[in-house]
Every structure is written in C-alpha cells, then in structure tokens.
C-alpha cells in the first residue's frame, strides 16, 4: 500500500521516529538533522514540529503516534525507522529493541 500523502500521516511518522531516536536516551545531531529535514520534506505543519521540539528541549514525554494511521503503510514506516536508526552509524541495543516493537505495533511478523 502506498503511504498517504497527507500531513497527518507524516506528522504521526515523525512522532514515531522521535520515539525511536530517543530510545537510547540521546538524540544524535545527525538524527536530529535527518528528522528536521524529513519533517520539512513531508510538510509537517510548523506548529506540530515546534511542539515536538519543545517536548525534547524540556524533557517532556513525546506524544504517542497514531498507530492506526501508520498501519496503513507498515512497510514504508518500517523502512523509514530503519533508515533513521542507521543515521548515526551506531545501532544501539535499545534501538534494535524499538525496531522489534515497531514491527509488532504495526502488525508485522518478527524479523
């Protein structure tokens, strides 16, 4: 299935990616740059991006992504998560665990 092209899908995908990137308790500058670049390409509304950045800056919990919307294109979501994990050239155990959890949340079989 082709991912929806609306900003809602990509806003939810960005929320998920932030959860994954933060799973090792740090956001590598390369991951941050990749996420900001993706948000711009995907036309994530500026107010949503600012809200997410504020959560990171203040150490507040990140909003939970809408998995129902993300399940519409699980392979696209998983491929994007894999790309993000590889961005900082270090795949941490917590990130690998998170990848497995994402597969499960999306209703995909274990790798």
């Amino acid at each position: 299935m082709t991912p929806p092209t609306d900003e809602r899908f990509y806003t939810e995908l960005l929320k998920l990616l932030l959860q994954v990137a933060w799973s090792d308790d740090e956001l590598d500058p390369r991951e941050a740059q990749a996420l900001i670049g993706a948000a711009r390409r995907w036309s994530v509304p500026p107010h949503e991006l600012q809200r997410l950045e504020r959560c990171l800056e203040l150490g507040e919990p990140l909003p939970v992504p809408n998995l129902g919307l993300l399940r519409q294109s699980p392979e696209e979501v998983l491929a994007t998560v894999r790309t993000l994990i590889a961005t900082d050239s270090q795949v941490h155990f917590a990130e690998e665990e998170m990848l497995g959890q994402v597969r499960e949340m999306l209703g995909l079989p274990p790798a």
Side-chain angles (χ1 to χ4, degrees), residues 15-87:
K15 289 177 188 177
L16 178 66
L17 294 175
L18 282 169
Q19 298 273 354
V20 171
W22 196 250
S23 68
D24 59 359
D25 294 324
E26 68 177 276
L27 187 60
D28 183 277
R30 290 171 288 195
E31 289 173 324
Q33 285 181 326
L35 289 171
I36 290 169
R40 289 186 180 130
R41 281 191 310 279
W42 296 336
S43 300
V44 170
H47 71 276
E48 286 287 349
L49 188 54
Q50 290 168 354
R51 182 172 72 114
L52 295 170
E53 288 173 334
R54 205 168 32 255
C55 287
L56 291 172
E57 288 169 9
L58 300 175
E60 295 176 354
L62 292 163
V64 178
N66 178 336
L67 294 176
L69 196 56
L70 295 176
R71 284 185 186 120
Q72 293 178 16
S73 300
E75 293 297 335
E76 175 74 16
V77 171
L78 197 60
T80 306
V81 169
R82 280 191 188 116
T83 300
L84 174 68
I85 287 173
T87 300

